[in-house]
């Protein structure tokens, strides 16, 4: 005989619990985990490469590249000389806390101050799943348009820092910074917004400063 | 397609519930899915049909989805309105000081099992 059991549980509950547990461990380990999200082609890998080159002499960096398939991003990042591993999501469009844990275990966090997770390129699914990262950073590139906060609100709500990339291409596109900023802050008043060009280097210093400060604060254990 | 990821998480929860209650077979699972949860019920059901075959506990379990309407509350005029029609701006007074009351759920409500 079947019986009815009342469950009343949020589906994301176990993932959120796992993510919180991981943040605790990262804290104890003095490792800062940054989750980088964006749509495909916004310049995640180029931004990362440049960031790693700028910071690798002052902190120990490890990168986890998550993709559905292939290792092209991991190959590109490995040119910088930092530790990098490739995670395959097996068809899944995002990483969750469990998969991130497996990645961290494979990479090892003992000798890492800044661990970076390059999430699957997608503005929808990665926003739903807490990876256990200390901070979520997202990139929106100028060609994608200033209306993205209207279309993908959750991604803008769960992120702490927004990099608006490809400012060198501004003259070719109708991207309204003011409108974009307003839309983002309506969803998330705390969001730090930094316009950058990972290609020319414009704005990158401000981004490095923000990241440095986050890593320093977390790893100081305060 | 985050629906498959959601199914994996639902299955994990069901497995732990089954273990706690010594259940071996689940006949149905009822979910509450909010209108603005960004989850597509049809995709969720498709993913379920595919994934359940791999797990004996849920192999024959039907999935029922109850869609929860999205309602937003306006802080300024203290009225509510349907979120899907008007978004974040209050249709009564034009304020942006609004927040979602219901509609972003993704809950497992109940199961039938033995």
């Amino acid at each position: 005989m079947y019986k009815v059991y009342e469950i009343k549980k949020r589906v994301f509950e176990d993932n959120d619990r796992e993510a919180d547990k991981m943040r605790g461990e990262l804290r104890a380990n003095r490792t800062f985990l940054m989750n980088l999200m964006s749509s495909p082609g916004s310049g995640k890998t180029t931004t990362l490469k440049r960031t790693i080159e700028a910071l690798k002499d002052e902190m120990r960096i490890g990168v986890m590249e998550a993709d559905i398939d292939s290792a092209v991003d991991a190959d590109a990042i490995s040119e910088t000389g930092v530790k990098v591993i490739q995670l395959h999501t097996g068809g899944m469009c995002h990483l969750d806390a469990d998969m991130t844990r497996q990645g961290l275990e494979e990479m090892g966090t003992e000798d890492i101050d800044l661990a970076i997770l390059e999430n699957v390129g997608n503005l929808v699914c990665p926003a739903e799943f807490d990876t256990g990262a200390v901070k979520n950073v997202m990139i929106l590139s100028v060609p994608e348009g200033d209306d993205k906060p209207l279309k993908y609100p959750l991604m803008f709500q769960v992120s702490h820092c927004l990099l608006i990339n490809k400012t060198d291409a501004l003259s070719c596109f109708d991207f309204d910074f003011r409108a974009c900023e307003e839309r983002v802050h309506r969803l998330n008043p705390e969001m730090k917004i930094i316009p950058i060009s990972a290609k020319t280097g414009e704005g990158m210093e401000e981004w490095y400063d923000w990241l440095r400060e986050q890593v320093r604060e977390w790893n100081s254990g305060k | 397609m985050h629906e498959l990821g959601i199914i994996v998480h639902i299955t994990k929860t069901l497995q732990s519930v089954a273990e706690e209650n010594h259940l071996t077979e689940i006949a149905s699972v009822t979910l509450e899915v909010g209108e603005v949860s960004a989850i597509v019920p049809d995709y969720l059901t498709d993913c379920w049909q595919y994934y359940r075959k791999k797990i004996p506990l849920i192999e024959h379990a039907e999935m029922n989805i109850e869609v929860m309407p999205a309602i937003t509350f306006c802080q300024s005029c203290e009225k509510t309105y349907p979120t899907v029609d008007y978004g974040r701006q209050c249709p009564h007074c034009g304020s942006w000081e609004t927040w979602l009351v219901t509609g972003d759920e993704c809950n497992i409500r109940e199961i039938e099992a033995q």
Side-chain angles (χ1 to χ4, degrees):
Chain A
M1 261 305 278
Y2 292 116
K3 245 174 74 183
V4 174
Y5 292 81
E6 200 171 275
I7 312 286
K8 279 280 171 204
K9 255 190 179 166
R10 289 190 317 115
V11 168
F12 298 109
E13 211 172 279
D14 66 324
N15 187 62
D16 291 351
R17 208 174 22 237
E18 179 66 26
D20 282 337
K21 192 173 144 214
M22 198 150 69
R23 266 186 291 274
E25 291 167 17
L26 288 166
R27 183 91 171 184
N29 245 331
R30 294 180 188 246
T31 301
F32 180 94
L33 174 62
M34 166 182 129
N35 174 25
L36 183 62
M37 302 180 282
S38 81
S39 48
S42 65
K44 278 195 299 300
T45 308
T46 309
T47 305
L48 264 189
K49 266 184 86 171
R50 204 161 178 141
T51 305
I52 292 165
E53 290 295 353
L55 299 180
K56 68 178 181 187
D57 292 333
E58 49 187 287
M59 52 181 92
R60 296 166 299 174
I61 302 175
V63 179
M64 297 180 285
E65 287 290 336
D67 276 301
I68 289 172
D69 205 350
S70 98
V72 286
D73 288 350
D75 291 345
I77 296 293
S78 67
E79 289 167 18
T80 63
V82 301
K83 207 182 212 181
V84 53
I85 64 164
Q86 178 74 50
L87 304 175
H88 285 147
T89 59
M92 223 90 91
C93 51
H94 61 272
L95 280 189
D96 61 13
D98 254 348
M99 291 187 258
T100 307
R101 175 184 289 283
Q102 287 168 25
L104 284 172
E105 276 167 8
E106 187 188 329
M107 187 170 74
T109 52
E110 289 74 34
D111 55 349
I112 300 288
D113 303 310
L114 168 62
I116 300 172
L117 171 64
E118 184 177 335
N119 215 314
V120 182
N122 179 337
L123 285 182
V124 185
C125 318
E128 295 268 11
F129 293 88
D130 189 341
T131 57
V134 181
K135 291 282 149 101
N136 292 325
V137 175
M138 69 168 293
I139 302 178
L140 173 66
S141 64
V142 164
E144 292 169 68
D146 52 51
D147 59 353
K148 286 295 170 290
L150 302 174
K151 294 185 180 173
Y152 305 97
L154 188 61
M155 179 58 77
F156 289 84
Q157 279 164 347
V158 301
S159 295
H160 303 92
C161 179
L162 166 66
L163 302 175
I164 301 183
N165 191 22
K166 305 191 187 177
T167 52
D168 53 286
L170 262 177
S171 61
C172 308
F173 298 93
D174 298 318
F175 190 98
D176 186 336
F177 266 97
R178 278 260 299 278
C180 184
E181 215 169 72
E182 227 177 86
R183 285 164 185 157
V184 170
H185 282 148
R186 210 172 270 150
L187 292 167
N188 180 356
E190 307 290 318
M191 180 90 96
K192 172 80 176 167
I193 302 178
I194 310 174
I196 60 164
S197 166
K199 196 172 154 194
T200 68
E202 190 190 353
M204 294 298 278
E205 283 303 327
E206 191 187 349
W207 153 240
Y208 302 150
D209 284 344
W210 184 87
L211 184 56
R212 264 190 204 110
E213 180 57 25
Q214 303 297 322
V215 175
R216 197 192 56 74
E217 204 182 303
W218 178 261
N219 293 357
S220 73
K222 275 182 211 146
Chain B
M1 274 298 278
H2 58 161
E3 279 77 6
L4 183 57
I6 290 168
I7 292 296
V8 173
H9 280 277
I10 290 173
T11 306
K12 276 190 203 163
T13 304
L14 294 177
Q15 282 169 325
S16 67
V17 168
E19 203 173 317
E20 274 167 41
N21 296 287
H22 311 290
L23 305 171
T24 52
E25 196 191 335
I26 296 179
S28 77
V29 181
T30 304
L31 303 181
E32 299 170 338
V33 174
E35 236 180 340
V36 294
S37 62
I39 296 164
V40 183
D42 278 356
Y43 291 172
L44 205 58
T45 316
D46 288 348
C47 292
W48 179 253
Q49 303 298 0
Y50 156 79
Y51 195 72
R52 67 174 180 172
K53 295 192 194 104
K54 301 173 184 291
I55 317 279
L57 175 71
I58 55 169
E59 204 182 339
H60 305 293
E62 290 304 320
M63 172 160 281
N64 308 313
I65 298 177
E66 190 150 313
V67 177
M68 312 291 283
I71 312 262
T72 297
F73 174 79
C74 172
Q75 197 84 53
S76 304
C77 70
E78 301 192 340
K79 287 182 186 153
T80 58
Y81 62 88
T83 313
V84 174
D85 296 342
Y86 302 103
R88 286 186 59 93
Q89 189 174 19
C90 175
H92 306 297
C93 72
S95 169
W96 289 93
E97 300 288 312
T98 58
W99 46 271
L100 192 69
V101 186
T102 58
D104 63 349
E105 298 83 358
C106 181
N107 302 328
I108 306 174
R109 189 206 291 164
E110 61 184 34
I111 58 171
E112 279 179 286
Q114 63 181 16

